[in-house]
Amino acid sequence: MKGRPLLPFGIIAIVGIVVMISLSFMGLNQREAMNADEEETEEVTEFEDPVAAGEELSQASCIGCHGGDLGGGSGPALTSLEGSYSQEEITDIILNGQGAMPAISNVNDVEADAIAQYLLSISE
Ligand code: HEC
């Protein structure tokens, strides 16, 4: 008699543990699936309208140093680059930095290229 009544509890405990383990694995899978989704949507490979996208990206990444209207701040104005820099050179400055300007690491090369196109489009 002793010990016997414990058996059902043992079974319940094991079932409980198995359920908990499988739930946490399901959670892990979901999280991985969500991460995969995010990566897919974040990786921009082409813009339909690079100039418009570049304007938005420059608002997010450049105005802190180059001023709200890109007319100059702690960094120089970016409103008359035409003639001084080519699209490729601007893209290169964004991705790799230049002098006192650090590389901008939160944009990829397609986004940097879009910003370069925008900056040349507003160039006077
Ligand atoms: C942390 C501050 C900072 C940020 C953010 C920043 N820049 Fe700069 N940028 C500078 C500084 C400072 C210079 C001057 C660098 C030098 O020649 O020493 C500069 C120079 C430049 C130049 C060369 C301008 C010239 O007339 O020679 C370009 C082009 C440029 N930045 C583009 C950008 C773009 C586009 C972004 C956003 C993607 C950006 N920068 C973000 C600080 C910044």
Side-chain angles (χ1 to χ4, degrees), residues 61-62 65-66 76 78 81 85 94 98-102 104 115 119:
S61 304
C62 319
C65 297
H66 289 281
L78 300 179
L81 296 176
Y85 293 101
I94 297 169
Q98 172 179 288
M101 174 173 156
I104 307 300
I115 297 172
L119 291 177

Side-chain angles (χ1 to χ4, degrees), residues 53-64:
E55 177 170 14
E56 238 171 74
L57 290 162
S58 70
Q59 295 293 323
S61 304
C62 319
I63 62 173

Side-chain angles (χ1 to χ4, degrees), residues 42-88:
E42 261 178 30
E43 186 62 27
V44 181
T45 52
E46 207 184 336
F47 287 115
E48 245 175 63
D49 187 348
V51 171
E55 177 170 14
E56 238 171 74
L57 290 162
S58 70
Q59 295 293 323
S61 304
C62 319
I63 62 173
C65 297
H66 289 281
D69 51 2
L70 300 177
S74 59
L78 300 179
T79 45
S80 52
L81 296 176
E82 180 115 64
S84 312
Y85 293 101
S86 69
Q87 192 176 319
E88 287 73 30

Side-chain angles (χ1 to χ4, degrees), residues 12 17 28 31 49 52 56 58 64 75 77 87 92 94 102 110 113-114:
I12 290 170
I17 289 168
L28 267 184
R31 193 172 303 164
D49 187 348
E56 238 171 74
S58 70
Q87 192 176 319
D92 183 66
I94 297 169
V110 180
D113 184 68

